[in-house]
Amino acid sequence: MRLINQHKFLFCVLGAMLVVAFVVNLSMGSLHIPFAQIIDILLGKGAEKVSWEYIILNYRLPKALTAIMVGLSLSVCGMLMQTLFRNPMAESYVLGLSSGASLGVAIIILGAGFLPLFIKQYLVSAYAVVIASVMGSLIVLIVVLLVSRKVKDSMTLLIIGLMFASFTGAIVGVLSYFSTAEELQKYTFWALGSLGNQSWSNIAILFGSILTGAILSFLSLKTLNALLLGENYARSMGINIKKSRYIIIIATGILSGACTAFVGPIAFVGLAVPHISRMLFKTSNHFILFFANCFLGALVLLICDSLCQLPGEAFLLPINAVTSMAGAPVVIWLLINRKSIRA
């Protein structure tokens, strides 16, 4: 009972921190907007200046919602992968899904120079980049699913996923070698990640994809708890390991693929947050860790996004730079203290 009350208290604290981080994130930007005006805008009361309402509703609010959705998605993906592969350093990108998305975008951006002009003009839009990213992730996901039918060992599947990442990375390197400086700059900006410039239609698509992936993840929680004691134990409980592995891989593919498509590859969130959740809640029960990762992932990425916006400045730091600077020390500490990262 004491542990349950402690978990409830932690969820209440995280919920309050998430609300505060959300409002603070909306207040960050080159233009200062008072807190009271932000609350009035969110409650539909309007603002003293029309420009304030436009900025909040069409730029800052979509960006904050994107940070919440991407943060919780990557954190849940990390939890799924670390338990499936029984590897504390696993995350959503170990299956090569992010690399597949990067390859799709690289073909569009870096490979466009090899195409005729009448085709190239249709490949410069933001939607073309999103579609290419989704297709790249989807192709790698299909290949991984086909391979998983032949491979029974999860660790072997992990290695194969890393090989896919290496292979696609090599192709991106070749395309980069033959690309112009302008094309390289555009691809680099995408690879650094960005939570901004999301339309409400993009938000709706991202929400639908993440909701689907989250439902599949939630349905896998019982399996994940059983996998903590090994695949043989899970089989003894009547769990279909092959089917469960498909569901977990598909859930990870949907969550990470959708996030990468709309905001680019975001580093370290999926790797570090699941460990922080386990240490904070002191449990290996995935029914608790699922919601813990949702709260913490959203909170962490909101804070990182707030740090990206320099006060009084018009430009933003790339989100990947901030998550890497914040996440790398955490991962190093986790490696040094291996006892605290047992999956």
Side-chain angles (χ1 to χ4, degrees):
M1 183 63 68
R2 181 181 179 183
L3 188 60
I4 294 175
N5 291 333
Q6 183 181 0
H7 289 165
K8 289 181 179 178
F9 174 74
L10 286 173
F11 277 121
C12 290
V13 171
L14 287 176
M17 292 176 65
L18 185 59
V19 172
V20 172
F22 181 74
V23 177
V24 170
N25 185 270
L26 292 178
S27 68
M28 298 296 291
S30 57
L31 179 65
H32 173 69
I33 301 177
F35 275 104
Q37 293 296 311
I38 294 174
I39 300 299
D40 287 342
I41 292 171
L42 294 178
L43 294 176
K45 297 180 180 179
E48 294 180 2
K49 298 181 179 180
V50 178
S51 59
W52 288 355
E53 186 173 355
Y54 180 84
I55 291 171
I56 293 295
L57 295 180
N58 292 280
Y59 181 73
R60 295 187 187 180
L61 182 58
K63 183 161 67 75
L65 292 176
T66 301
I68 290 174
M69 290 189 288
V70 172
L72 70 87
S73 297
L74 295 180
S75 301
V76 169
C77 284
M79 179 191 72
L80 295 176
M81 292 293 96
Q82 288 167 15
T83 302
L84 177 64
F85 295 118
R86 297 183 61 79
N87 187 330
M89 289 297 106
E91 60 172 328
S92 59
Y93 298 146
V94 297
L95 292 178
L97 300 175
S98 176
S99 299
S102 299
L103 177 60
V105 174
I107 292 174
I108 291 294
I109 297 177
L110 304 180
F114 300 100
L115 300 174
L117 182 61
F118 71 94
I119 296 178
K120 183 178 179 180
Q121 63 182 350
Y122 295 104
L123 301 180
V124 296
S125 68
Y127 285 107
V129 172
V130 170
I131 292 171
S133 179
V134 171
M135 291 301 296
S137 294
L138 184 61
I139 291 172
V140 174
L141 177 61
I142 292 172
V143 173
V144 170
L145 288 174
L146 292 174
V147 170
S148 66
R149 296 178 60 184
K150 303 291 183 181
V151 177
K152 296 182 179 180
D153 182 16
S154 294
M155 290 304 298
T156 304
L157 185 61
L158 171 62
I159 295 172
I160 292 173
L162 293 174
M163 292 303 100
F164 276 128
S166 178
F167 177 74
T168 54
I171 297 177
V172 172
V174 172
L175 291 173
S176 300
Y177 184 80
F178 291 102
S179 299
T180 64
E182 182 181 355
E183 291 169 343
L184 283 172
Q185 185 183 46
K186 185 176 181 181
Y187 178 75
T188 300
F189 285 158
W190 177 85
L192 287 172
S194 174
L195 298 172
N197 301 319
Q198 301 295 334
S199 65
W200 284 108
S201 59
N202 288 355
I203 297 292
I205 296 171
L206 184 61
F207 176 76
S209 302
I210 290 174
L211 180 62
T212 303
I215 292 173
L216 290 175
S217 302
F218 187 80
L219 295 175
S220 303
L221 297 181
K222 181 180 178 181
T223 301
L224 293 173
N225 282 336
L227 286 174
L228 288 175
L229 298 175
E231 292 187 359
N232 291 331
Y233 176 80
R235 288 191 183 94
S236 70
M237 294 184 63
I239 294 174
N240 188 327
I241 296 297
K242 183 176 289 188
K243 180 182 177 181
S244 299
R245 190 192 295 171
Y246 284 160
I247 294 174
I248 293 172
I249 291 174
I250 291 172
T252 303
I254 293 173
L255 291 173
S256 63
C259 293
T260 306
F262 285 99
V263 305
I266 305 297
F268 286 104
V269 175
L271 179 59
V273 172
H275 294 301
I276 299 173
S277 299
R278 278 193 287 270
M279 290 185 290
L280 187 62
F281 283 81
K282 294 180 175 62
T283 182
S284 58
N285 186 346
H286 285 81
F287 285 98
I288 296 174
L289 291 176
F290 176 82
F291 294 102
N293 278 292
C294 289
F295 276 90
L296 269 173
L299 177 62
V300 166
L301 203 56
L302 269 177
I303 293 173
C304 288
D305 183 56
S306 299
L307 295 175
C308 288
Q309 179 65 65
L310 299 178
E313 299 291 340
F315 63 89
L316 291 168
L317 293 174
I319 185 67
N320 245 337
V322 176
T323 57
S324 297
M325 286 188 291
V330 174
V331 174
I332 292 172
W333 183 82
L334 291 169
L335 285 170
I336 295 172
N337 298 272
R338 285 183 178 272
K339 291 183 180 180
S340 63
I341 59 173
R342 289 175 179 172

